[in-house]
């Protein structure tokens, strides 16, 4: 595996306070007026849960993010997503993407945390949420990743297995059009997770055909989002042929999702093609992209919010910063595995 920077958590700490994780920043300065978002806090739980031997300050962040997630959860297991800086919730509980991401974050902490009480509290929240179902494909996919984390540690967990089985039944399969294998009419947001969930379901449900479908979709996506040898992710507007590439603005979450999925494919197959896919996603952050500029602020450890035709945004919000940290963690983990 290639040399890559180590994850630096300074900016994540800067964006965090005693309530949670602030969503936006102007440059590197947190924008408190925009408040907090469970989507980001749950991403934070995934990243923090993955960190081996976390120092005490990261452990405290995990505690804070878990408390935020628990407060966002209703008695039915659904979640609110947005909290104002005045500490008032701005929406009603639902089972959208924030529900799926919360399950992923909770599953990661419940499976990986070194603190027994954190594992227990995260598992209790996970079990309540796992009784719900969502109509949104990406929400289901993120939830399935949390279920897989639980099954790694608790192989007989009925709630996690039932959730994963329901997601597998509803997941999209490759289309019959050889020119457009993707199960959706257009590429959209965090695309690689739709392929990864098939790989995950195939592995944990012992369904080789399901896993093969996921690998086929992921290979198609990786080749489709490669332009002149580098990653050229789908823009915020989505994409479909015959629209031209590259397309802008590009968001770091697309590259991070592809890195996650390729790491999963590597773990399942051991095929070096997927290690190369991880590398392609990681170096997008370090400058091998359509604008030829880094998407990491090396002074803060933060991630730039988007890539345009002429360069990167100056703003370093939570989503982009967590995408950087996630990609660098996966690069490190893959390097250690080899």
């Amino acid at each position: 595996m290639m040399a890559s920077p180590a994850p630096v958590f300074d900016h994540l700490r800067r964006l965090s306070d005693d309530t949670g994780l602030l969503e936006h920043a102007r440059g590197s300065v947190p924008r408190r007026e925009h408040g907090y978002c469970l989507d980001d806090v749950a991403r934070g739980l995934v990243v923090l849960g993955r960190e081996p031997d976390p120092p005490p300050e990261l452990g405290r962040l995990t505690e804070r993010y878990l408390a935020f997630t628990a407060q966002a959860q209703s008695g039915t297991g659904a979640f609110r997503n947005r909290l104002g800086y005045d500490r008032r919730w701005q929406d009603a509980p639902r089972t959208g993407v924030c529900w799926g991401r919360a399950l992923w974050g909770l599953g990661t902490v419940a499976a990986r945390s070194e603190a027994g009480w954190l594992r227990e509290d995260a598992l209790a929240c996970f079990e309540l949420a796992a009784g719900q179902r969502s109509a949104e494909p990406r929400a289901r996919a993120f939830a399935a990743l949390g279920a897989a984390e639980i099954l790694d540690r608790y192989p007989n967990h009925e709630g996690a297995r039932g959730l994963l089985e329901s997601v597998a039944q509803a997941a999209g399969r490759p289309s019959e059009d050889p020119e457009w294998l993707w199960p959706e009419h257009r590429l959209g947001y965090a695309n690689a997770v739709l392929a990864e969930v098939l790989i995950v379901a195939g592995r944990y449900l012992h369904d080789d055909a399901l896993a093969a479908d996921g690998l086929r979709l992921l290979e198609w996506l990786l080749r489709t989002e490669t332009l002149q040898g580098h990653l050229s992710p789908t823009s915020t507007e989505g994409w479909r042929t015959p629209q031209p590439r590259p397309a802008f603005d590009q968001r770091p979450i697309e590259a991070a999702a592809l890195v996650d999925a390729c790491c999963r494919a590597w773990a399942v197959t051991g095929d070096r093609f997927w290690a190369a896919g991880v590398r392609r996603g990681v170096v997008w952050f370090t400058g091998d992209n359509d604008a030829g500029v880094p998407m990491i602020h090396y002074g803060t450890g933060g991630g730039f919010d988007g890539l345009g035709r002429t360069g990167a945004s100056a703003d370093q919000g939570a989503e982009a910063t967590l995408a950087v940290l996630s990609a660098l963690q996966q690069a490190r983990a893959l390097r250690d595995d080899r």
Side-chain angles (χ1 to χ4, degrees):
M1 185 62 185
M2 71 296 184
S4 57
V8 174
F9 290 84
D10 293 356
H11 190 57
L12 187 67
R13 289 195 293 265
R14 183 179 294 110
L15 290 171
S16 302
D17 62 13
D18 60 356
T19 296
L21 175 60
L22 291 156
E23 183 176 8
H24 293 299
R26 181 182 290 112
S28 61
V29 179
R31 300 191 67 174
R32 290 172 172 80
E33 68 271 24
H34 291 292
Y36 314 85
C37 174
L38 177 62
D39 279 334
D40 291 331
V41 172
R43 291 184 187 100
L45 285 178
V46 172
V47 165
L48 293 171
R50 287 174 174 172
E51 193 63 14
D53 302 318
E57 59 267 27
L58 295 189
R60 289 190 288 272
L61 278 189
T62 306
E63 295 173 20
R64 208 169 307 155
Y65 293 177
L66 180 57
F68 184 101
T69 304
Q71 289 298 313
Q73 189 173 33
S74 73
T76 67
F79 289 90
R80 299 175 178 89
N81 190 36
R82 297 196 172 276
L83 182 72
Y85 194 66
D86 60 2
R87 308 320 192 252
R88 295 182 181 178
W89 290 105
Q90 299 175 343
D91 55 356
R94 61 184 189 273
T95 56
V97 168
C98 66
W99 167 85
R101 285 199 177 277
L103 277 162
W104 187 11
L106 291 167
T108 303
V109 173
R112 303 195 193 197
S113 176
E114 296 179 354
W117 70 271
L118 282 176
R119 292 197 306 272
E120 291 172 5
D121 288 352
L123 184 61
C125 290
F126 176 93
E127 288 175 341
L128 177 60
Q132 290 279 357
R133 297 293 183 265
S134 177
E136 299 183 31
R138 282 161 181 75
R140 294 194 298 262
F142 292 133
L145 299 184
E149 292 282 350
I150 295 294
L151 292 171
D152 269 340
R153 189 174 184 99
Y154 310 103
N156 298 318
H157 193 282
E158 293 183 2
R161 187 164 297 278
L163 178 61
L164 190 55
E165 288 172 347
S166 72
V167 170
Q169 291 170 4
R173 302 296 197 277
S175 79
E176 297 180 0
D177 180 355
E179 299 300 318
W180 189 263
L181 290 182
W182 202 246
E184 299 174 315
H185 179 67
R186 291 173 63 84
L187 290 171
Y189 163 83
N191 294 291
V193 72
L194 299 185
E196 185 180 1
V197 71
L198 294 177
I199 301 169
V200 165
R203 175 184 175 188
Y204 288 91
L205 301 179
H206 309 292
D207 186 331
D208 291 343
L210 202 60
D213 279 348
L215 292 168
R216 187 177 172 214
L217 278 180
L218 184 58
E219 180 178 359
W220 180 89
L221 180 66
L222 181 58
R223 295 189 189 281
T224 297
E225 293 197 319
T226 295
L227 182 66
Q228 298 177 350
H230 65 262
L231 186 66
S232 181
T234 298
S235 76
T236 55
E237 300 299 319
W239 182 83
R240 183 186 170 107
T241 55
Q243 291 176 308
R245 301 196 76 101
F248 297 99
D249 288 324
Q250 298 171 12
R251 294 172 65 181
I253 190 173
E254 300 302 325
L258 189 69
V259 169
D260 276 347
C262 287
C263 270
R264 182 82 63 177
W266 163 264
V268 170
T269 68
D271 189 330
R272 294 174 66 87
F273 174 82
W274 301 116
V278 173
R279 181 183 188 281
R280 195 171 302 168
V282 172
V283 299
W284 182 88
F285 288 97
T286 60
D288 192 8
N289 53 49
D290 288 316
V293 298
M295 294 300 292
I296 304 170
H297 190 297
Y298 291 106
T300 67
F304 297 121
D305 285 351
L307 181 69
R309 292 185 182 278
T310 59
S313 164
D315 297 334
Q316 302 164 48
E319 179 184 282
T321 295
L322 289 163
V324 165
L325 293 171
S326 174
L328 296 182
Q329 283 179 324
Q330 295 288 42
R332 180 185 61 195
L334 185 57
R335 189 167 58 242
D336 292 345
D337 268 352
R338 294 182 66 180

